[in-house]
Short mmCIF file of all heavy atoms in Angstrom, two decimals:
data_model
loop_
_atom_site.label_atom_id
_atom_site.label_comp_id
_atom_site.label_asym_id
_atom_site.label_seq_id
_atom_site.Cartn_x
_atom_site.Cartn_y
_atom_site.Cartn_z
N MET A 57 0.89 -1.18 -0.05
CA MET A 57 0.00 0.08 0.01
C MET A 57 0.85 1.18 0.01
O MET A 57 1.96 1.33 0.56
CB MET A 57 -0.98 0.01 1.20
CG MET A 57 -1.86 -1.11 1.42
SD MET A 57 -3.11 -1.19 0.22
CE MET A 57 -4.31 0.01 0.81
N LYS A 58 0.38 2.22 -0.78
CA LYS A 58 1.20 3.62 -0.80
C LYS A 58 0.33 4.66 -0.38
O LYS A 58 -1.03 4.61 -0.71
CB LYS A 58 1.60 3.80 -2.22
CG LYS A 58 2.62 2.76 -2.73
CD LYS A 58 3.94 3.08 -2.19
CE LYS A 58 4.95 2.12 -2.81
NZ LYS A 58 6.26 2.26 -2.28
N GLN A 59 0.89 5.55 0.31
CA GLN A 59 0.13 6.68 0.71
C GLN A 59 -0.25 7.60 -0.49
O GLN A 59 0.59 8.10 -1.10
CB GLN A 59 0.90 7.54 1.80
CG GLN A 59 0.10 8.78 2.26
CD GLN A 59 0.85 9.53 3.39
OE1 GLN A 59 1.07 8.99 4.39
NE2 GLN A 59 1.39 10.78 2.94
N LEU A 60 -1.56 7.92 -0.66
CA LEU A 60 -2.00 8.87 -1.66
C LEU A 60 -2.32 10.16 -1.17
O LEU A 60 -1.82 11.23 -1.74
CB LEU A 60 -3.27 8.25 -2.20
CG LEU A 60 -3.86 9.16 -3.30
CD1 LEU A 60 -3.14 9.30 -4.52
CD2 LEU A 60 -5.33 8.56 -3.58
N LEU A 61 -2.90 10.24 0.02
CA LEU A 61 -3.36 11.55 0.59
C LEU A 61 -3.28 11.55 2.10
O LEU A 61 -3.44 10.52 2.71
CB LEU A 61 -4.85 11.77 0.17
CG LEU A 61 -5.48 13.06 0.62
CD1 LEU A 61 -4.82 14.19 0.03
CD2 LEU A 61 -6.93 12.93 0.35
N ARG A 62 -2.71 12.61 2.64
CA ARG A 62 -2.63 12.74 4.11
C ARG A 62 -3.07 14.20 4.36
O ARG A 62 -2.76 15.20 3.98
CB ARG A 62 -1.20 12.65 4.60
CG ARG A 62 -0.88 12.79 5.98
CD ARG A 62 0.48 12.64 6.27
NE ARG A 62 0.82 13.08 7.70
CZ ARG A 62 1.62 12.45 8.36
NH1 ARG A 62 2.54 11.49 7.89
NH2 ARG A 62 1.85 12.83 9.67
N THR A 63 -4.19 14.20 5.24
CA THR A 63 -4.85 15.51 5.57
C THR A 63 -5.59 15.37 6.93
O THR A 63 -5.99 14.20 7.33
CB THR A 63 -5.93 15.88 4.42
OG1 THR A 63 -6.30 17.14 4.71
CG2 THR A 63 -7.02 14.85 4.35
N THR A 64 -5.93 16.51 7.54
CA THR A 64 -6.68 16.52 8.67
C THR A 64 -8.08 16.97 8.36
O THR A 64 -9.00 17.16 9.24
CB THR A 64 -6.23 17.60 9.71
OG1 THR A 64 -6.05 18.98 8.96
CG2 THR A 64 -4.76 17.25 10.20
N ASP A 65 -8.38 17.14 7.09
CA ASP A 65 -9.84 17.55 6.62
C ASP A 65 -10.55 16.20 6.22
O ASP A 65 -10.30 15.68 5.10
CB ASP A 65 -9.63 18.39 5.39
CG ASP A 65 -10.91 18.97 4.90
OD1 ASP A 65 -12.04 18.58 5.57
OD2 ASP A 65 -11.01 19.63 3.82
N PRO A 66 -11.47 15.87 7.14
CA PRO A 66 -12.29 14.67 6.80
C PRO A 66 -13.15 14.74 5.54
O PRO A 66 -13.40 13.67 4.89
CB PRO A 66 -13.15 14.46 8.12
CG PRO A 66 -13.09 15.87 8.68
CD PRO A 66 -11.92 16.50 8.34
N THR A 67 -13.48 16.00 5.07
CA THR A 67 -14.34 16.11 3.87
C THR A 67 -13.46 15.74 2.71
O THR A 67 -13.93 15.22 1.77
CB THR A 67 -14.78 17.55 3.78
OG1 THR A 67 -13.95 18.47 3.73
CG2 THR A 67 -15.91 17.67 4.84
N SER A 68 -12.11 16.20 2.71
CA SER A 68 -11.29 15.79 1.47
C SER A 68 -11.04 14.30 1.49
O SER A 68 -10.96 13.73 0.39
CB SER A 68 -9.87 16.52 1.76
OG SER A 68 -10.02 17.78 1.74
N ILE A 69 -10.88 13.51 2.70
CA ILE A 69 -10.81 12.07 2.59
C ILE A 69 -12.07 11.56 2.07
O ILE A 69 -12.00 10.64 1.18
CB ILE A 69 -10.47 11.57 4.06
CG1 ILE A 69 -9.19 12.08 4.48
CG2 ILE A 69 -10.82 10.08 4.01
CD1 ILE A 69 -8.06 11.20 3.96
N ALA A 70 -13.26 12.01 2.46
CA ALA A 70 -14.52 11.37 1.97
C ALA A 70 -14.65 11.54 0.41
O ALA A 70 -15.07 10.72 -0.24
CB ALA A 70 -15.71 11.99 2.64
N PHE A 71 -14.33 12.84 -0.12
CA PHE A 71 -14.45 13.18 -1.45
C PHE A 71 -13.47 12.22 -2.23
O PHE A 71 -13.89 11.74 -3.24
CB PHE A 71 -14.09 14.62 -1.68
CG PHE A 71 -14.22 15.12 -3.09
CD1 PHE A 71 -15.31 14.70 -3.84
CD2 PHE A 71 -13.31 15.86 -3.64
CE1 PHE A 71 -15.50 15.14 -5.16
CE2 PHE A 71 -13.41 16.37 -5.01
CZ PHE A 71 -14.57 15.89 -5.75
N ALA A 72 -12.21 12.18 -1.83
CA ALA A 72 -11.18 11.41 -2.50
C ALA A 72 -11.60 9.89 -2.57
O ALA A 72 -11.51 9.25 -3.56
CB ALA A 72 -10.03 11.51 -1.85
N LYS A 73 -12.18 9.41 -1.43
CA LYS A 73 -12.67 7.92 -1.42
C LYS A 73 -13.72 7.76 -2.43
O LYS A 73 -13.71 6.81 -3.12
CB LYS A 73 -13.05 7.60 -0.06
CG LYS A 73 -11.99 7.31 0.91
CD LYS A 73 -12.59 7.15 2.40
CE LYS A 73 -13.26 5.88 2.42
NZ LYS A 73 -13.64 5.59 3.94
N ALA A 74 -14.63 8.73 -2.49
CA ALA A 74 -15.82 8.61 -3.47
C ALA A 74 -15.29 8.57 -4.93
O ALA A 74 -15.64 7.83 -5.72
CB ALA A 74 -16.83 9.70 -3.20
N LEU A 75 -14.28 9.52 -5.18
CA LEU A 75 -13.67 9.58 -6.48
C LEU A 75 -13.12 8.24 -6.91
O LEU A 75 -13.28 7.75 -8.02
CB LEU A 75 -12.73 10.71 -6.63
CG LEU A 75 -13.37 12.14 -6.54
CD1 LEU A 75 -12.16 13.14 -6.41
CD2 LEU A 75 -14.20 12.40 -7.74
N LEU A 76 -12.25 7.77 -5.95
CA LEU A 76 -11.50 6.41 -6.23
C LEU A 76 -12.46 5.33 -6.44
O LEU A 76 -12.23 4.55 -7.33
CB LEU A 76 -10.53 6.26 -5.16
CG LEU A 76 -9.32 7.25 -4.95
CD1 LEU A 76 -8.59 6.95 -3.78
CD2 LEU A 76 -8.44 7.14 -6.23
N GLN A 77 -13.49 5.23 -5.59
CA GLN A 77 -14.39 4.14 -5.74
C GLN A 77 -15.14 4.23 -7.01
O GLN A 77 -15.41 3.20 -7.69
CB GLN A 77 -15.41 4.18 -4.55
CG GLN A 77 -14.81 3.76 -3.22
CD GLN A 77 -15.68 3.97 -2.06
OE1 GLN A 77 -16.66 4.57 -2.09
NE2 GLN A 77 -15.19 3.45 -0.86
N GLY A 78 -15.42 5.52 -7.42
CA GLY A 78 -16.02 5.69 -8.72
C GLY A 78 -15.28 5.19 -9.91
O GLY A 78 -15.70 4.75 -10.90
N GLU A 79 -13.93 5.21 -9.76
CA GLU A 79 -13.01 4.82 -10.82
C GLU A 79 -12.59 3.26 -10.60
O GLU A 79 -11.79 2.88 -11.43
CB GLU A 79 -11.68 5.63 -10.79
CG GLU A 79 -11.92 7.09 -11.15
CD GLU A 79 -12.26 7.27 -12.61
OE1 GLU A 79 -11.87 6.52 -13.45
OE2 GLU A 79 -12.99 8.24 -12.87
N GLY A 80 -13.14 2.66 -9.58
CA GLY A 80 -12.86 1.24 -9.38
C GLY A 80 -11.40 1.01 -8.75
O GLY A 80 -10.97 -0.03 -8.82
N ILE A 81 -10.93 2.08 -7.97
CA ILE A 81 -9.68 1.90 -7.39
C ILE A 81 -9.93 1.67 -5.81
O ILE A 81 -10.59 2.51 -5.12
CB ILE A 81 -8.82 3.21 -7.53
CG1 ILE A 81 -8.62 3.40 -9.06
CG2 ILE A 81 -7.59 3.18 -6.71
CD1 ILE A 81 -7.97 4.77 -9.26
N ASP A 82 -9.38 0.64 -5.26
CA ASP A 82 -9.58 0.19 -3.94
C ASP A 82 -8.72 1.13 -3.15
O ASP A 82 -7.57 1.48 -3.45
CB ASP A 82 -9.15 -1.20 -3.69
CG ASP A 82 -10.18 -2.13 -4.16
OD1 ASP A 82 -11.40 -1.91 -4.30
OD2 ASP A 82 -9.79 -3.24 -4.56
N CYS A 83 -9.23 1.59 -1.93
CA CYS A 83 -8.48 2.48 -1.02
C CYS A 83 -8.78 2.13 0.37
O CYS A 83 -9.81 1.47 0.69
CB CYS A 83 -8.86 3.92 -1.37
SG CYS A 83 -10.41 4.43 -1.09
N PHE A 84 -7.89 2.52 1.29
CA PHE A 84 -8.08 2.20 2.67
C PHE A 84 -7.69 3.39 3.53
O PHE A 84 -6.64 3.95 3.27
CB PHE A 84 -7.21 0.95 3.11
CG PHE A 84 -7.27 0.61 4.49
CD1 PHE A 84 -8.43 -0.14 4.97
CD2 PHE A 84 -6.26 0.91 5.49
CE1 PHE A 84 -8.50 -0.40 6.28
CE2 PHE A 84 -6.43 0.55 6.82
CZ PHE A 84 -7.49 -0.14 7.18
N GLU A 85 -8.60 3.85 4.42
CA GLU A 85 -8.32 4.95 5.18
C GLU A 85 -7.58 4.53 6.47
O GLU A 85 -8.07 3.65 7.30
CB GLU A 85 -9.57 5.75 5.61
CG GLU A 85 -9.42 6.99 6.17
CD GLU A 85 -10.76 7.72 6.53
OE1 GLU A 85 -11.77 7.27 5.86
OE2 GLU A 85 -10.78 8.75 7.13
N MET A 86 -6.46 5.14 6.85
CA MET A 86 -5.68 4.75 7.99
C MET A 86 -5.70 5.94 9.01
O MET A 86 -5.97 7.11 8.62
CB MET A 86 -4.25 4.44 7.70
CG MET A 86 -4.02 3.22 6.83
SD MET A 86 -2.43 2.77 6.49
CE MET A 86 -1.93 2.12 8.14
N ASP A 87 -5.58 5.62 10.23
CA ASP A 87 -5.32 6.61 11.38
C ASP A 87 -6.77 7.14 11.74
O ASP A 87 -6.85 8.24 12.36
CB ASP A 87 -4.36 7.68 11.01
CG ASP A 87 -2.97 7.17 10.72
OD1 ASP A 87 -2.57 6.19 11.37
OD2 ASP A 87 -2.33 7.70 9.78
N VAL A 88 -7.76 6.47 11.35
CA VAL A 88 -9.11 7.03 11.70
C VAL A 88 -9.34 6.97 13.19
O VAL A 88 -9.81 7.96 13.78
CB VAL A 88 -10.19 6.10 10.99
CG1 VAL A 88 -11.60 6.56 11.43
CG2 VAL A 88 -9.98 6.20 9.53
N ASN A 89 -8.99 5.94 13.79
CA ASN A 89 -9.12 5.83 15.30
C ASN A 89 -8.42 6.83 16.05
O ASN A 89 -8.83 7.36 17.05
CB ASN A 89 -8.85 4.38 15.82
CG ASN A 89 -9.96 3.39 15.24
OD1 ASN A 89 -11.00 3.82 15.00
ND2 ASN A 89 -9.66 2.19 15.08
N MET A 90 -7.11 7.02 15.58
CA MET A 90 -6.30 8.06 16.27
C MET A 90 -6.91 9.45 16.20
O MET A 90 -6.86 10.20 17.07
CB MET A 90 -4.84 7.98 15.77
CG MET A 90 -4.11 6.73 16.07
SD MET A 90 -3.96 6.45 17.92
CE MET A 90 -2.94 7.92 18.36
N SER A 91 -7.39 9.71 15.08
CA SER A 91 -8.04 11.04 14.69
C SER A 91 -9.28 11.21 15.62
O SER A 91 -9.46 12.26 16.15
CB SER A 91 -8.39 11.12 13.29
OG SER A 91 -8.90 12.38 13.00
N VAL A 92 -10.00 10.19 15.80
CA VAL A 92 -11.25 10.18 16.66
C VAL A 92 -10.84 10.28 18.08
O VAL A 92 -11.48 11.16 18.86
CB VAL A 92 -12.07 8.97 16.47
CG1 VAL A 92 -13.13 8.79 17.48
CG2 VAL A 92 -12.68 8.88 15.03
N LEU A 93 -9.77 9.74 18.58
CA LEU A 93 -9.33 9.79 19.93
C LEU A 93 -8.97 11.28 20.25
O LEU A 93 -9.12 11.61 21.40
CB LEU A 93 -8.22 8.94 20.17
CG LEU A 93 -8.61 7.44 20.30
CD1 LEU A 93 -7.33 6.52 20.42
CD2 LEU A 93 -9.42 7.09 21.49
N GLU A 94 -8.31 11.92 19.35
CA GLU A 94 -7.81 13.31 19.80
C GLU A 94 -9.00 14.32 19.80
O GLU A 94 -8.82 15.43 20.14
CB GLU A 94 -6.79 13.74 18.76
CG GLU A 94 -7.14 13.69 17.24
CD GLU A 94 -7.46 15.01 16.82
OE1 GLU A 94 -7.33 16.09 17.43
OE2 GLU A 94 -8.20 14.96 15.67
N GLY A 95 -10.22 13.87 19.51
CA GLY A 95 -11.37 14.82 19.42
C GLY A 95 -11.44 15.62 18.28
O GLY A 95 -11.09 15.21 17.17
N SER A 96 -11.96 16.79 18.45
CA SER A 96 -12.14 17.76 17.27
C SER A 96 -11.09 18.70 17.10
O SER A 96 -11.24 19.76 16.34
CB SER A 96 -13.57 18.36 17.51
OG SER A 96 -13.48 19.26 18.63
N ILE A 97 -9.97 18.53 17.72
CA ILE A 97 -8.81 19.47 17.53
C ILE A 97 -8.32 19.62 16.13
O ILE A 97 -7.99 20.52 15.64
CB ILE A 97 -7.65 19.16 18.53
CG1 ILE A 97 -8.16 19.18 19.92
CG2 ILE A 97 -6.51 19.99 18.37
CD1 ILE A 97 -7.21 18.67 21.01
N GLY A 98 -8.26 18.39 15.50
CA GLY A 98 -7.88 18.23 14.03
C GLY A 98 -6.38 18.28 13.90
O GLY A 98 -5.85 18.95 12.84
N ILE A 99 -5.54 17.78 14.78
CA ILE A 99 -4.13 17.89 14.63
C ILE A 99 -3.48 16.62 14.21
O ILE A 99 -2.40 16.70 13.63
CB ILE A 99 -3.38 18.24 16.05
CG1 ILE A 99 -3.77 17.30 17.14
CG2 ILE A 99 -3.77 19.62 16.37
CD1 ILE A 99 -3.00 17.34 18.41
N LEU A 100 -4.27 15.52 14.17
CA LEU A 100 -3.72 14.20 13.73
C LEU A 100 -4.23 13.91 12.36
O LEU A 100 -5.55 13.72 12.30
CB LEU A 100 -4.06 13.08 14.73
CG LEU A 100 -3.40 13.24 16.09
CD1 LEU A 100 -3.85 12.02 17.05
CD2 LEU A 100 -1.88 13.19 15.99
N PRO A 101 -3.47 13.89 11.34
CA PRO A 101 -3.97 13.68 9.97
C PRO A 101 -4.44 12.10 9.79
O PRO A 101 -3.95 11.22 10.41
CB PRO A 101 -2.77 14.01 9.07
CG PRO A 101 -1.60 13.80 9.92
CD PRO A 101 -1.97 14.06 11.38
N ARG A 102 -5.25 12.02 8.88
CA ARG A 102 -5.65 10.79 8.30
C ARG A 102 -4.95 10.43 7.05
O ARG A 102 -4.63 11.45 6.27
CB ARG A 102 -7.19 10.58 8.14
CG ARG A 102 -7.93 10.77 9.43
CD ARG A 102 -9.47 10.68 9.02
NE ARG A 102 -10.27 10.96 10.27
CZ ARG A 102 -11.52 10.76 10.30
NH1 ARG A 102 -12.24 10.35 9.27
NH2 ARG A 102 -12.20 11.06 11.48
N ARG A 103 -4.72 9.16 6.78
CA ARG A 103 -3.92 8.86 5.51
C ARG A 103 -4.88 7.98 4.62
O ARG A 103 -5.61 7.05 5.05
CB ARG A 103 -2.76 8.10 5.78
CG ARG A 103 -1.68 8.84 6.56
CD ARG A 103 -0.42 8.15 6.77
NE ARG A 103 -0.75 7.15 7.78
CZ ARG A 103 -0.07 6.04 8.10
NH1 ARG A 103 0.98 5.79 7.37
NH2 ARG A 103 -0.39 5.12 9.07
N LEU A 104 -4.99 8.19 3.32
CA LEU A 104 -5.66 7.44 2.39
C LEU A 104 -4.68 6.64 1.54
O LEU A 104 -3.75 7.20 0.90
CB LEU A 104 -6.50 8.34 1.50
CG LEU A 104 -7.48 7.65 0.60
CD1 LEU A 104 -8.48 6.89 1.50
CD2 LEU A 104 -8.25 8.61 -0.19
N MET A 105 -4.68 5.28 1.69
CA MET A 105 -3.72 4.39 1.05
C MET A 105 -4.39 3.70 -0.17
O MET A 105 -5.58 3.45 -0.21
CB MET A 105 -3.28 3.28 2.05
CG MET A 105 -2.86 3.92 3.43
SD MET A 105 -1.40 4.95 3.31
CE MET A 105 0.01 3.72 3.23
N VAL A 106 -3.43 3.48 -1.18
CA VAL A 106 -3.99 2.68 -2.35
C VAL A 106 -2.96 1.72 -2.68
O VAL A 106 -1.75 1.73 -2.26
CB VAL A 106 -4.17 3.63 -3.60
CG1 VAL A 106 -5.30 4.52 -3.37
CG2 VAL A 106 -2.92 4.29 -4.09
N HIS A 107 -3.27 0.66 -3.49
CA HIS A 107 -2.26 -0.35 -3.86
C HIS A 107 -1.23 0.27 -4.67
O HIS A 107 -1.59 1.16 -5.54
CB HIS A 107 -3.06 -1.44 -4.60
CG HIS A 107 -2.21 -2.72 -4.84
ND1 HIS A 107 -1.33 -2.80 -5.90
CD2 HIS A 107 -2.08 -3.80 -4.17
CE1 HIS A 107 -0.71 -3.99 -5.76
NE2 HIS A 107 -1.17 -4.61 -4.77
N ALA A 108 -0.03 -0.18 -4.65
CA ALA A 108 1.08 0.44 -5.27
C ALA A 108 0.78 0.49 -6.88
O ALA A 108 1.29 1.40 -7.49
CB ALA A 108 2.30 -0.36 -5.03
N ASP A 109 0.08 -0.55 -7.27
CA ASP A 109 -0.20 -0.72 -8.76
C ASP A 109 -1.12 0.34 -9.24
O ASP A 109 -1.23 0.75 -10.36
CB ASP A 109 -0.64 -2.13 -9.24
CG ASP A 109 0.38 -3.10 -9.02
OD1 ASP A 109 1.65 -2.84 -8.88
OD2 ASP A 109 -0.05 -4.33 -8.90
N ASP A 110 -1.94 0.92 -8.30
CA ASP A 110 -3.03 1.83 -8.62
C ASP A 110 -2.50 3.23 -8.31
O ASP A 110 -3.26 4.25 -8.56
CB ASP A 110 -4.30 1.56 -7.89
CG ASP A 110 -4.93 0.25 -8.27
OD1 ASP A 110 -4.86 -0.11 -9.45
OD2 ASP A 110 -5.47 -0.36 -7.36
N LEU A 111 -1.38 3.38 -7.74
CA LEU A 111 -0.93 4.82 -7.35
C LEU A 111 -1.00 5.90 -8.38
O LEU A 111 -1.50 6.99 -8.25
CB LEU A 111 0.38 4.83 -6.58
CG LEU A 111 0.95 6.09 -6.07
CD1 LEU A 111 0.05 6.64 -4.98
CD2 LEU A 111 2.34 5.89 -5.53
N GLU A 112 -0.41 5.66 -9.60
CA GLU A 112 -0.35 6.59 -10.61
C GLU A 112 -1.75 7.05 -11.14
O GLU A 112 -1.98 8.29 -11.26
CB GLU A 112 0.51 6.18 -11.79
CG GLU A 112 1.97 6.09 -11.45
CD GLU A 112 2.75 5.76 -12.72
OE1 GLU A 112 2.47 6.17 -13.82
OE2 GLU A 112 3.76 4.97 -12.50
N GLU A 113 -2.59 5.99 -11.30
CA GLU A 113 -3.89 6.37 -11.76
C GLU A 113 -4.68 7.18 -10.64
O GLU A 113 -5.48 8.12 -10.95
CB GLU A 113 -4.67 5.06 -11.99
CG GLU A 113 -6.11 5.25 -12.67
CD GLU A 113 -6.84 3.99 -12.91
OE1 GLU A 113 -6.30 2.90 -12.65
OE2 GLU A 113 -8.01 4.08 -13.30
N ALA A 114 -4.55 6.74 -9.33
CA ALA A 114 -5.17 7.42 -8.21
C ALA A 114 -4.73 8.82 -8.19
O ALA A 114 -5.52 9.72 -7.94
CB ALA A 114 -4.93 6.76 -6.99
N GLU A 115 -3.40 9.12 -8.37
CA GLU A 115 -2.90 10.47 -8.34
C GLU A 115 -3.47 11.40 -9.50
O GLU A 115 -3.78 12.52 -9.23
CB GLU A 115 -1.30 10.49 -8.35
CG GLU A 115 -0.66 9.89 -7.20
CD GLU A 115 0.89 9.83 -7.30
OE1 GLU A 115 1.30 9.69 -8.49
OE2 GLU A 115 1.59 9.78 -6.33
N GLN A 116 -3.66 10.65 -10.61
CA GLN A 116 -4.22 11.46 -11.68
C GLN A 116 -5.69 11.79 -11.44
O GLN A 116 -6.17 12.93 -11.75
CB GLN A 116 -4.16 10.64 -12.97
CG GLN A 116 -4.57 11.38 -14.26
CD GLN A 116 -3.66 12.60 -14.59
OE1 GLN A 116 -2.49 12.48 -14.48
NE2 GLN A 116 -4.37 13.74 -14.75
N VAL A 117 -6.37 10.94 -10.83
CA VAL A 117 -7.77 11.25 -10.44
C VAL A 117 -7.91 12.39 -9.47
O VAL A 117 -8.68 13.29 -9.58
CB VAL A 117 -8.37 9.96 -9.80
CG1 VAL A 117 -9.82 10.35 -9.18
CG2 VAL A 117 -8.64 8.81 -10.88
N MET A 118 -6.94 12.33 -8.55
CA MET A 118 -6.86 13.44 -7.54
C MET A 118 -6.60 14.77 -8.24
O MET A 118 -7.25 15.82 -8.00
CB MET A 118 -5.87 13.21 -6.38
CG MET A 118 -6.12 12.02 -5.57
SD MET A 118 -7.61 12.02 -4.68
CE MET A 118 -8.69 11.02 -5.51
N ARG A 119 -5.57 14.80 -9.10
CA ARG A 119 -5.27 16.06 -9.77
C ARG A 119 -6.25 16.60 -10.72
O ARG A 119 -6.63 17.75 -10.81
CB ARG A 119 -3.94 15.75 -10.71
CG ARG A 119 -2.70 15.81 -9.91
CD ARG A 119 -1.46 15.74 -10.72
NE ARG A 119 -1.35 14.65 -11.55
CZ ARG A 119 -0.74 13.47 -11.25
NH1 ARG A 119 -0.05 13.49 -10.17
NH2 ARG A 119 -0.69 12.46 -12.12
N ASP A 120 -6.99 15.62 -11.48
CA ASP A 120 -8.11 15.89 -12.22
C ASP A 120 -9.29 16.59 -11.54
O ASP A 120 -10.10 17.38 -12.14
CB ASP A 120 -8.72 14.73 -13.02
CG ASP A 120 -7.61 14.21 -14.00
OD1 ASP A 120 -6.62 14.94 -14.43
OD2 ASP A 120 -7.90 13.05 -14.59
N ASN A 121 -9.37 16.26 -10.27
CA ASN A 121 -10.51 16.95 -9.46
C ASN A 121 -10.00 17.86 -8.47
O ASN A 121 -10.87 18.27 -7.52
CB ASN A 121 -11.21 15.71 -8.73
CG ASN A 121 -12.03 14.80 -9.68
OD1 ASN A 121 -13.09 15.20 -10.09
ND2 ASN A 121 -11.49 13.66 -10.12
N GLY A 122 -8.88 18.46 -8.63
CA GLY A 122 -8.41 19.61 -7.88
C GLY A 122 -7.94 19.29 -6.41
O GLY A 122 -8.01 20.22 -5.52
N ILE A 123 -7.66 18.05 -6.13
CA ILE A 123 -7.14 17.67 -4.79
C ILE A 123 -5.64 17.70 -4.73
O ILE A 123 -5.08 16.96 -5.51
CB ILE A 123 -7.76 16.32 -4.28
CG1 ILE A 123 -9.29 16.26 -4.24
CG2 ILE A 123 -7.17 15.84 -2.96
CD1 ILE A 123 -9.84 14.88 -4.04
N ALA A 124 -5.13 18.55 -3.93
CA ALA A 124 -3.70 18.80 -3.87
C ALA A 124 -3.02 17.52 -3.15
O ALA A 124 -3.44 17.13 -2.14
CB ALA A 124 -3.20 20.00 -3.19
N LEU A 125 -1.87 17.03 -3.75
CA LEU A 125 -1.29 15.93 -3.09
C LEU A 125 0.22 16.50 -2.65
O LEU A 125 0.69 17.41 -3.24
CB LEU A 125 -0.95 14.75 -4.15
CG LEU A 125 -2.23 14.23 -4.75
CD1 LEU A 125 -1.93 13.14 -5.78
CD2 LEU A 125 -3.09 13.49 -3.49
N GLU A 126 0.70 15.89 -1.66
CA GLU A 126 2.06 16.28 -1.09
C GLU A 126 3.04 15.82 -2.17
O GLU A 126 3.04 14.77 -2.79
CB GLU A 126 2.34 15.55 0.09
CG GLU A 126 1.35 15.99 1.26
CD GLU A 126 1.75 15.22 2.57
OE1 GLU A 126 2.70 14.46 2.55
OE2 GLU A 126 0.97 15.46 3.55
N GLY A 127 4.15 16.59 -2.30
CA GLY A 127 5.27 16.22 -3.06
C GLY A 127 5.04 15.92 -4.44
O GLY A 127 5.57 15.44 -5.34
#
């Protein structure tokens, strides 16, 4: 699994997941429980992971829809 997106914005994660599912790309959200434990402070980011073989396609989907990716 490779990290596609890391953010403290839960709406960005939800949007990205919906886009990926629409393209048939499996994804997995990590650090959800840690983010919930810290409450609503929003300091612990969540990560959206995809299979390494799907990374390039997933990155293109994010760019096409205006979601900024790190590096």
Side-chain angles (χ1 to χ4, degrees):
M57 300 291 281
K58 296 285 186 178
Q59 179 178 294
L60 174 66
L61 181 63
R62 180 180 173 147
T63 182
T64 57
D65 182 4
T67 59
S68 292
I69 292 281
F71 183 48
K73 285 174 64 174
L75 291 171
L76 293 172
Q77 290 170 353
E79 295 292 327
I81 300 172
D82 290 328
C83 60
F84 181 77
E85 189 176 348
M86 295 184 72
D87 305 322
V88 175
N89 293 332
M90 290 304 296
S91 182
V92 169
L93 286 175
E94 57 93 19
S96 61
I97 300 171
I99 58 171
L100 296 176
R102 295 181 184 186
R103 296 178 289 160
L104 192 60
M105 310 295 283
V106 297
H107 191 277
D109 294 341
D110 294 328
L111 182 60
E112 287 184 36
E113 183 181 357
E115 288 174 338
Q116 187 62 48
V117 170
M118 296 298 105
R119 284 191 295 269
D120 291 347
N121 289 279
I123 297 176
L125 302 173
E126 295 178 4

